[in-house]
Amino acid sequence: MAIYKQATETTFVLIKPDGVRRGLVGEVLARFERRGFVVRRASCVQMTSGDVAEHYPHLAAEPFFPEIVGFMTSGPVVALVLEAPNAVAAARQIVGATDPMKAEPGSIRADLATSVRFNVVHAADSESTARREIAHFFPGARDEENDVSDERS
Ligand code: TYD
């Protein structure tokens, strides 16, 4: 029987303050691990408003941005570097659409989110965004640790 090796990729995932507050850290991590993701880095941190502005530059001009800042700074978050084949796209699939009413049943947001804002988890939307977010939350990490080039079966 042939054994195929699949190249892995890393992505950035963040469990938002509602997820931490509601005790959903284990539930969220389990969903990624069951799908084959490996936790490479994990850190529980309190975001500042500056962190939120850097994390969501595309939303800075939105009228609801102050509310996002208020929410994202309302308690600790868990920042994660996760590794899997097609990690960026697979994580977005596991997380589901921004609005839980539009998210696929079985996704984290469809199953666990209580509103568009309080949607439990963030996942990077591209490889370049993942690199930027990993560098922001894990500034000590070397590039080669963040950008996985090895293969595992
Ligand atoms: P966005 O980057 O558009 O979505 P996603 O998290 O799915 O990549 O938005 C970032 C976060 O901003 C989103 O998860 C929740 C919040 N948000 C609101 O509170 N209201 C809104 O109308 C939108 C579009 C986003």
Side-chain angles (χ1 to χ4, degrees):
M1 189 174 76
I3 296 172
Y4 296 97
K5 287 196 166 185
Q6 239 180 329
T8 57
E9 185 176 282
T10 50
T11 192
F12 179 78
V13 167
L14 186 124
I15 304 175
K16 298 185 181 184
D18 58 335
V20 176
R21 217 166 6 244
R22 292 169 59 203
L24 297 174
V25 172
E27 164 83 32
V28 168
L29 268 181
R31 285 168 178 245
F32 283 100
E33 290 188 315
R34 286 204 301 262
R35 177 73 181 266
F37 280 78
V38 174
V39 179
R40 290 286 300 272
R41 285 171 182 272
S43 174
C44 192
V45 293
Q46 171 68 51
M47 291 178 79
T48 65
S49 49
D51 291 325
V52 182
E54 204 166 315
H55 186 69
Y56 286 133
H58 62 293
L59 297 178
E62 296 288 348
F64 54 79
F65 191 64
E67 286 156 55
I68 293 180
V69 173
F71 166 53
M72 293 298 288
T73 60
S74 68
V77 300
V78 176
L80 299 161
V81 178
L82 301 180
E83 177 186 297
N86 306 307
V88 172
R92 294 284 289 188
Q93 184 186 52
I94 290 167
V95 165
T98 313
D99 180 348
M101 291 304 292
K102 295 183 181 145
E104 281 286 314
S107 63
I108 290 172
R109 285 168 169 172
D111 291 354
L112 305 174
T114 53
S115 72
V116 171
R117 178 138 331 121
F118 304 132
N119 63 8
V120 182
V121 67
H122 158 85
D125 63 2
S126 71
E127 287 180 59
S128 64
T129 306
R131 273 194 294 277
R132 174 173 63 77
E133 293 175 345
I134 291 169
H136 180 77
F137 281 88
F138 298 96
R142 287 176 294 134
D143 268 2
E144 57 268 33
E145 284 175 345
N146 293 338
D147 218 8
V148 176
S149 57
D150 64 323
E151 294 188 335
R152 62 177 67 199
S153 50

